[in-house]
Amino acid sequence: MVWNLSTGRPRHTLGHSKSVNAVTTLMLPNGTPVAVTASDDRSALVWDLSTGKRRRALEGHLNSVNAVATLVLPDGSPVAVTASDDCTAIVWNLDTGQRIHILEGHSSSVRAVATLMLPDGTPAAITASDDRTAIVWNLDTEQPVWRLTLPAEGRCVSATDVGFIIGCGREVAHFVWTS
């Protein structure tokens, strides 16, 4: 549901054919607010939040899509990164709906993803998996920058300009950028 926060009333209902597992929002460079939803139906859908209309489907995962994150790249291209039970993450161009990269490196379900700009200006994604690893990916090259071993399955990740936090089992791991 998209809600009007001033009135508390629903504006639009966004839907999939199966359960929705995650949602993120982004303001496109042209000023259009969008939401990207991830679902057990093996897709992510891009929605125009002004109208409630579906803009496009991001299809290519072989199993449930568990998480999604968005980022505007330095060249102005908006992207989404989806994480799936098929052990991959996919980077998508939100303007065209085309797949840019498939990030392969986990041996089990990828449960979480976050996007950020690394301190050197490199666009990156962080994925966390049931295989007890987290990978920081360079989105320009689709190569891993770091692979981290976690004490338990990676279930959630959040990133800021100073570092990132990963939830794994009953633990929370905090990583800070240092110079």
Side-chain angles (χ1 to χ4, degrees), residues 15-95:
H16 281 264
S17 62
K18 292 189 176 179
S19 296
V20 174
N21 297 321
V23 63
T24 190
T25 59
L26 180 72
M27 185 70 70
L28 296 177
N30 70 5
T32 303
V34 297
V36 184
T37 53
S39 172
D40 281 341
D41 67 10
R42 301 183 304 181
S43 76
L45 299 178
V46 183
W47 303 90
D48 183 320
L49 289 175
S50 299
T51 65
K53 295 191 183 305
R54 187 172 89 179
R55 293 175 60 102
R56 64 189 34 90
L58 308 175
E59 297 174 317
H61 280 292
L62 303 176
N63 213 319
S64 295
V65 182
N66 299 315
V68 61
T70 54
L71 181 71
V72 176
L73 299 177
D75 70 1
S77 300
V79 298
V81 182
T82 53
S84 173
D85 280 343
D86 66 12
C87 306
T88 70
I90 297 178
V91 183
W92 305 91
N93 180 310
L94 288 179
D95 283 334

Side-chain angles (χ1 to χ4, degrees), residues 89-110:
I90 297 178
V91 183
W92 305 91
N93 180 310
L94 288 179
D95 283 334
T96 65
Q98 297 298 309
R99 185 173 35 206
I100 299 171
H101 301 300
I102 298 177
L103 306 176
E104 297 177 296
H106 288 290
S107 62
S108 192
S109 295
V110 183

